[in-house]
Structures are given as C-alpha cells and as structure tokens.
Amino acid sequence: MTATYQRLSDVLVELGVEPDEIRPEANLRTELEVDSAELVEIVAQVAPTTVDGKALKSVRTLTDLTRFLDELS
Amino acid sequence: MTEVVITGVGVALPGTPDPDRLWDHVEGARSALGPISAFDASGYTTDRAGVLDAETEARTIGTIKPRLRKRMDRFCQLAVAATDAAIADAGIDPGDDPEQTGVAFGNMFGGWEITEPSLRGLYERGYMGVSPYIASAWFPTAPQGQVSIGRGLKGFAKTTVADTASSALAIGYAGRAITAGRANVVLAGGVEAPLTPYTYTFCETSGRLSPTTYRPLDDRADGFQVGEGAAVLALEDAGSAARRGAAVHAVLRGFALGHCPEPDALTPAGEQALAHTIGAALEQAGVAGVDCVIADGQARTEADKSELAAIRSVVGEVPVTTPKGVTGHLLGAASAVDAVTAVLAMRHGVVPPTTGCERPVDDLVVTAPLHGRVRTVLMLARGADGTCAATVLQSP
C-alpha cells in the first residue's frame, strides 16, 4: 500500500465512504459513488500540483487514481 | 374546474423547525431576529437578521447526509429540508407518480455560500481553488433541480424570480399547472439565503434595510431586516387528495398577478395596480370579502400606506397582519411563509398580531391576537420590479 493510496483512503472516509468499501479495485463511480465533481474535490486535496481535469476521465478504480497521482509527483 | 388544495406544509425558518413553532412565534409576536454571525456585518446598515438557530438547523438541514449536503448551497439545503417536511406532512410518496409531481420555487438572489469563496480561490490559487460543486450551486433554479433530482421528480418544474413577490408567483403558477392538468401535486414555495457578504451587499444597496428594527405597517417603519429560510406547500389536485383520503389544510381559491411601472412600485402611484390585482383574485375566488389579509408589509411608510389604501378600497374594513416581523423579510420566500401562516391562522381561528408593529399606520392593522373564525385569507405580495400578486386561500 502506497502513501498515496493511504491518503486517498483517508480522504474517502472523511467524505463519508464506508471503510470496508475501500479496496484497490473498487470502481470509483459505480461502487464508491464518486462522481466527476467529487473526484475533483478528492484530487484537489491529495494532488501535489495542479491537475488537468480532462486527464481524470481515464480514471476508473482507486488503483487507477493512485497511479495517476503518483505519476504527477 | 379542478380544485387545488394544500395537503402539506413544511418550513425551515429562523427559530422555527416546524409549523407549530412558527405559530407559537407568530401568535405570541416573538421576533426571531438576532445578530448575523456568518460574517462581519458591522459595516452594513444593520447587523441583525433572521438566522436559523442551532436547534432548527439540526432538525432541518442538519438531517441531510453530509456527502449530499456539501454539494448544495445553503439555499438548496433549506429548500430540500422544507420540501421533505411538506412531503411528510402531506403523506405522499413522490416516487408513486413522478411524471405528475412537480416543483415550483420562488427565489430572489440565488445562493452564494459556495461560490463566494470559490471566486476568491480562483483569483488567489487559480482554477483548482474553485469548488467542483459551483456549477450546480448558485443559480436561482438550483433548489428546483436539487429537489427534483433528490426525489426523482419529472413533472412540472419552475423557478420564479420577481423580487419580493417571487414565491407568490411560484404558488400561483403551481396552482394553475394543477388546474390545467399538468400535475397532480406541485411542491411549491420559496427559499432565500441572503446572509453571505456578497448577497447581503445587494440587500444593503437596495436601500431597503432598516437601521433600527423591522416594524411592518407601523408609522415609524424605516425598512426591514432580512431572514433566511424556506417554506413549502404540497399543492394537490383535490380529486387526487380525496382519493387517497388526505387531510386538506386549505383550498387555493384565487390567484391574480398584476404589474405597475417599476418607478411606481411600492408607492401611491402603484396603488391602483395592487387594487386591481386584489379585485381579480377575489373575483376568481368567487368571494366578496375575506376574514383577514396577510399584507406585503415592506415597512416603508409610503409603501405600507398605499398597500392599506388598496386593501381598504377593494375589501373594506378587514383585519390586516403579516408574520414577517417574526422571521425577518424572507424576500423571494416571504409569500410562502405568509401562506403557511394563513393555513395556521385558519386552523387556530386566530388572526395573529403584526410582530414589530406598535403604532399602526391604519386601524385595520392587528396588533393583538384576534380570535374568531378565519375562513378566507387574502395574501398580498409586491416586488420592487412592479409585480403585484394576490392569492386567496380558504379553509376546506
């Protein structure tokens, strides 16, 4: 588990996502009910730099998002 | 013609998480005005307003799940809470017939709680400083959208913006939609959340704020203090209500809309337009007189005197009151508070006193509870844009 994944997990719990629903392969939209607006909110809290919102369109799972953020750093 | 009835009421108002508490305040002439704490209002004409207290907030918008609540501006939260209360009071399930269930809200300013800090963030930190929820947060139709989405409604949906007459239009148009067969139920009312620095600036520059206190229909009136909140009615086709055995609070008998040139609004020059509108509403209702009038009560001597003159010219000697001194003037939502008050006055058989009024500009104005049968109520609303609205409610 990377530091980024742990940070994302913490943010999701703060948002009200149930901890037992948070898994690396969890689909953000269909399982965690994170829509595009909430995804931006999450990224704004975790990203080390400014993010191009369009680049987030390819993100599906929590693992995808972790990888996306790690590549920014 | 299809009859339109009120089968539910819901509120989220200063000092008032439910209609019973509203009645306690209104009948007891207890003002819920207090200091504005959301921001430093010391540089404005008044730093007092009608603000939701902690208990009311907990029992209304505090019941919305945090993950949903954060997406909504405060005015949407207030609308959702009051609408849910109206739905519960009516005993309806909007999901039973979403195509025939609608929503109509009046609002004056939109909602700026999310947007104001976002604009600051935009200039200080760039686009990442903007809330991702801004797109659905600020515009006047946002409460209509949030209620429709949250309850899965697919029927008639409108937002009316007509200064301080906005929610009178929402209720009137909702009634017309039901009469025309466009909906069986419309959740209709008003919402306003004017206590952000930006929105309150417009209250200030309008010149309508009182530096002393809100004294509607009083000869010392020098403007009003604003209030935040929402009030919502469940308006329903009478046949639909009867089929499900619903309790009926009141019948919407008449609604008329008029207009005068904007410079004439709230002045003696606008009196004739208001009188004409009152006459049209009474004619539609099929009544010659009413048991009381809930006045617009702008709390400007010229505006109040011209309103009372219009009432006297059409309705004659009739008790006149307004609950606005309890909650503060809810601007685009004020008429919806008046409508809930009318329902409660009928239920209790009391014309309530005019909170804040000690020296009435006219002896029609009620300053102490007036006990007796209250069967027919006329409600008036005016906007600084020249809009005049008159609505007639009657006990079932």
Side-chain angles (χ1 to χ4, degrees):
Chain A
M1 184 185 296
T2 67
T4 304
Y5 181 88
Q6 185 57 52
R7 175 79 182 113
L8 278 172
S9 300
D10 293 344
V11 169
L12 286 165
V13 171
E14 286 168 19
L15 291 177
V17 177
E18 292 296 326
D20 59 5
E21 291 179 351
I22 299 170
R23 297 169 288 105
E25 67 276 18
N27 185 292
L28 290 163
R29 178 175 286 277
T30 60
E31 293 181 74
L32 305 183
E33 297 178 337
V34 174
D35 66 8
S36 57
E38 198 167 39
L39 183 58
V40 171
E41 182 188 4
I42 294 165
V43 169
Q45 291 188 52
V46 179
T49 182
T50 300
V51 174
D52 177 1
K54 289 177 187 168
L56 285 166
K57 287 188 175 174
S58 61
V59 168
R60 297 280 181 273
T61 66
L62 202 47
T63 298
D64 292 344
L65 183 56
T66 304
R67 191 176 298 128
F68 176 86
L69 292 167
D70 281 339
E71 287 171 0
L72 288 176
S73 23
Chain B
M1 193 166 96
T2 306
E3 193 167 77
V4 179
V5 296
I6 299 171
T7 53
V9 294
V11 296
L13 297 168
T16 304
D18 56 58
D20 288 343
R21 192 78 64 87
L22 176 64
W23 183 250
D24 289 345
H25 292 317
V26 171
E27 188 182 26
R30 284 197 297 273
S31 168
L33 295 171
I36 296 169
S37 57
F39 61 96
D40 178 9
S42 58
Y44 293 82
T45 294
T46 177
D47 61 359
R48 291 172 63 78
V51 183
L52 257 66
D53 55 292
E55 184 208 339
T56 299
E57 188 154 327
R59 287 181 53 193
T60 56
I61 61 177
T63 63
I64 302 170
K65 289 180 180 171
R67 207 171 164 197
L68 177 60
R69 188 176 166 187
K70 73 176 180 189
R71 296 169 175 272
M72 293 189 268
D73 192 274
R74 188 172 181 84
F75 84 136
C76 288
Q77 297 171 21
L78 292 163
V80 165
T83 304
D84 282 352
I87 288 169
D89 186 43
I92 54 176
D93 181 352
D96 285 347
D97 195 359
E99 306 281 351
Q100 279 294 315
T101 307
V103 56
F105 288 139
N107 173 255
M108 186 165 153
F109 279 129
W112 294 88
E113 188 186 40
I114 289 175
T115 302
E116 280 185 49
S118 274
L119 292 176
R120 195 175 303 123
L122 174 66
Y123 289 110
E124 289 177 355
R125 304 195 303 278
Y127 69 81
M128 289 295 282
V130 176
S131 166
Y133 305 113
I134 197 171
S136 57
W138 62 271
F139 46 97
T141 52
Q144 164 197 323
Q146 290 290 1
V147 167
S148 297
I149 293 166
R151 287 290 181 166
L153 308 183
K154 297 179 180 176
F156 175 88
K158 295 288 178 209
T159 296
T160 49
V161 179
D163 197 74
T164 42
S166 298
S167 54
L169 272 59
I171 292 166
Y173 289 162
R176 287 179 180 177
I178 293 170
T179 302
R182 297 178 67 187
N184 282 335
V185 174
V186 180
L187 302 157
V191 61
E192 206 72 66
L195 298 172
T196 72
Y198 181 64
T199 322
Y200 200 55
T201 295
F202 291 104
C203 298
E204 174 74 25
T205 57
S206 73
R208 294 160 88 174
L209 293 180
S210 163
T212 57
T213 192
Y214 186 10
R215 299 188 185 99
L217 314 177
D218 187 292
D219 70 4
R220 296 163 298 171
D222 57 5
F224 54 65
Q225 267 115 17
V226 300
E228 64 173 358
V232 177
L233 314 172
L235 294 181
E236 188 167 358
D237 167 68
S240 161
R243 281 191 293 280
R244 66 184 188 86
V248 172
H249 295 313
V251 183
L252 177 56
R253 287 282 182 216
F255 169 70
L257 186 62
H259 206 272
C260 66
E262 190 168 327
D264 297 348
L266 313 178
T267 75
E271 184 186 316
Q272 195 177 357
L274 180 61
H276 181 77
T277 308
I278 294 171
L282 294 178
E283 185 178 346
Q284 188 185 60
V287 296
V290 299
D291 298 312
C292 84
V293 178
I294 298 186
D296 177 43
Q298 293 278 335
R300 287 280 173 192
T301 303
E302 191 179 50
D304 290 350
K305 283 186 172 174
S306 64
E307 181 178 21
L308 285 155
I311 293 168
R312 198 183 275 280
S313 71
V314 184
V315 193
E317 296 283 326
V318 61
V320 177
T321 187
T322 176
K324 297 181 182 73
V326 170
T327 56
H329 201 303
L330 261 78
L331 306 170
S335 302
V337 182
D338 293 349
V340 175
T341 303
V343 166
L344 296 167
M346 291 175 196
R347 181 183 301 168
H348 292 275
V350 177
V351 179
T354 308
T355 302
C357 178
E358 294 167 348
R359 290 173 17 188
V361 289
D362 187 299
D363 59 13
L364 297 182
V365 180
V366 178
T367 56
L370 195 61
H371 294 265
R373 185 172 161 82
V374 181
R375 176 163 160 70
T376 309
V377 179
L378 169 68
M379 305 183 302
L380 303 182
R382 291 176 297 174
D385 60 349
T387 302
C388 306
T391 309
V392 179
L393 297 182
Q394 205 163 53
S395 57

